[in-house]
């Protein structure tokens, strides 16, 4: 993220929006854009491509929460949600939907900066975890394909596991490809012929 954060504030009430913008301006130098009309919220947020989304809502329903979190793109950017009162079970739903910070009892000016910092830090941790998980899943899938190809070679040519892998590795080097690409081609060819 750049030195100067861009923030989208989702707030229907004009006076409340002014309060939030004023509080943000006191804490730091931000590019701030207020969205008062939630219609086409996803499009409006995407058009601004903010670094963070700040949502202030008095009493969110589960439907409102779902709509706001989906529209704000919590997997793309940090989202801080301030709610007016205790909304039973919605905190869990908000966190599961990807909201980085869920603050009950509304948005108080002196809490904005620490909450934004926490939302950003939490978002970055979860982004790293999602990336690592995706890489691990990919590695496991590649391992499965390689094992399947080795098994096919072992059975067809009566090879040991080491010999089958050596054959895959040599074919990959000869073709200038990765071992998994050669294994995928072998498994695909066997599926088509089989």
């Amino acid at each position: 993220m750049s030195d100067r954060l861009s923030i989208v504030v989702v707030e229907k009430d004009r006076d409340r929006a002014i309060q939030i913008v004023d509080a943000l301006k006191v804490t730091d130098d931000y590019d701030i854009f207020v969205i008062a009309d939630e219609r086409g919220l996803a499009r409006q947020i995407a058009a601004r491509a903010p670094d963070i989304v700040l949502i202030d809502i008095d009493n969110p329903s589960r439907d409102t929460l779902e709509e706001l979190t989906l529209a704000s793109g919590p997997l793309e950017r940090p989202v801080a949600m301030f709610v007016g009162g205790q909304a039973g079970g919605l905190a869990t739903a908000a966190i599961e939907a990807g909201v980085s910070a869920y603050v009950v009892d509304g948005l108080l000016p002196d809490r904005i900066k620490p909450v934004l910092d926490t939302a950003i830090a939490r978002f970055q941790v979860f982004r790293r975890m999602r990336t690592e998980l995706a890489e691990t899943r990919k590695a496991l899938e590649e391992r499965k394909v390689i094992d399947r190809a080795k098994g096919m070679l072992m059975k067809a040519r009566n090879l040991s596991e080491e010999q089958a892998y050596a054959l895959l590795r040599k074919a990959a080097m000869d073709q200038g490809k990765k071992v998994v690409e050669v294994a995928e081609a072998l498994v695909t060819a066997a599926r088509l012929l089989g």
Side-chain angles (χ1 to χ4, degrees):
M1 293 187 191
S2 69
D3 291 342
R4 185 175 167 146
L5 288 178
S6 63
I7 301 174
V8 162
V9 176
V10 179
E11 174 58 68
K12 290 180 183 181
D13 182 85
R14 185 179 186 281
D15 293 335
R16 184 81 174 130
I18 291 170
Q19 260 186 323
I20 293 167
V21 170
D22 288 346
L24 285 168
K25 286 182 178 176
V26 167
T27 59
D28 213 334
D29 185 25
Y30 300 116
D31 288 326
I32 304 166
F33 183 78
V34 177
I35 297 175
D37 185 359
E38 294 171 6
R39 289 177 298 189
L41 187 58
R43 182 182 40 76
Q44 291 183 70
I45 291 172
R48 293 285 168 196
D51 295 313
I52 188 166
V53 176
L54 191 153
I55 301 169
D56 186 37
I57 188 165
D58 263 339
N59 294 305
S61 68
R62 192 168 293 277
D63 291 341
T64 303
L65 174 70
E66 190 173 301
E67 182 182 331
L68 288 172
T69 54
L70 290 174
S72 59
L75 298 179
E76 299 168 21
R77 66 188 54 84
V79 175
M81 180 174 280
F82 294 83
V83 296
Q86 193 65 273
L90 289 185
T92 302
I95 298 302
E96 287 174 355
V99 171
S100 305
Y102 183 88
V103 182
V104 178
D105 289 335
L107 191 149
L108 301 174
D110 61 331
R111 293 165 82 186
I112 292 177
K113 178 75 169 131
V115 169
L116 291 180
D117 291 344
T118 301
I120 291 167
R122 186 171 186 273
F123 174 79
Q124 289 171 343
V125 165
F126 278 98
R127 181 192 302 177
R128 261 193 315 276
M129 289 171 50
R130 281 192 310 270
T131 300
E132 289 171 8
L133 179 60
E135 289 170 358
T136 301
R137 284 181 175 159
K138 181 181 178 193
L140 286 172
E141 288 304 313
E142 288 177 355
R143 185 82 246 154
K144 285 180 187 177
V145 170
I146 292 169
D147 285 346
R148 198 172 304 134
K150 282 191 309 187
M152 291 168 46
L153 288 173
M154 290 165 59
K155 184 177 179 182
R157 296 193 179 180
N158 197 25
L159 301 173
S160 70
E161 184 176 355
E162 295 78 22
Q163 291 170 323
Y165 185 75
L167 189 60
L168 284 172
R169 195 174 68 228
K170 181 176 179 348
M173 287 191 297
D174 291 346
Q175 297 172 29
K177 295 181 178 180
K178 294 180 180 179
V179 173
V180 70
E181 293 172 332
V182 171
E184 285 172 345
L186 181 63
V187 168
T188 300
R191 200 175 309 134
L192 293 174
L193 295 174

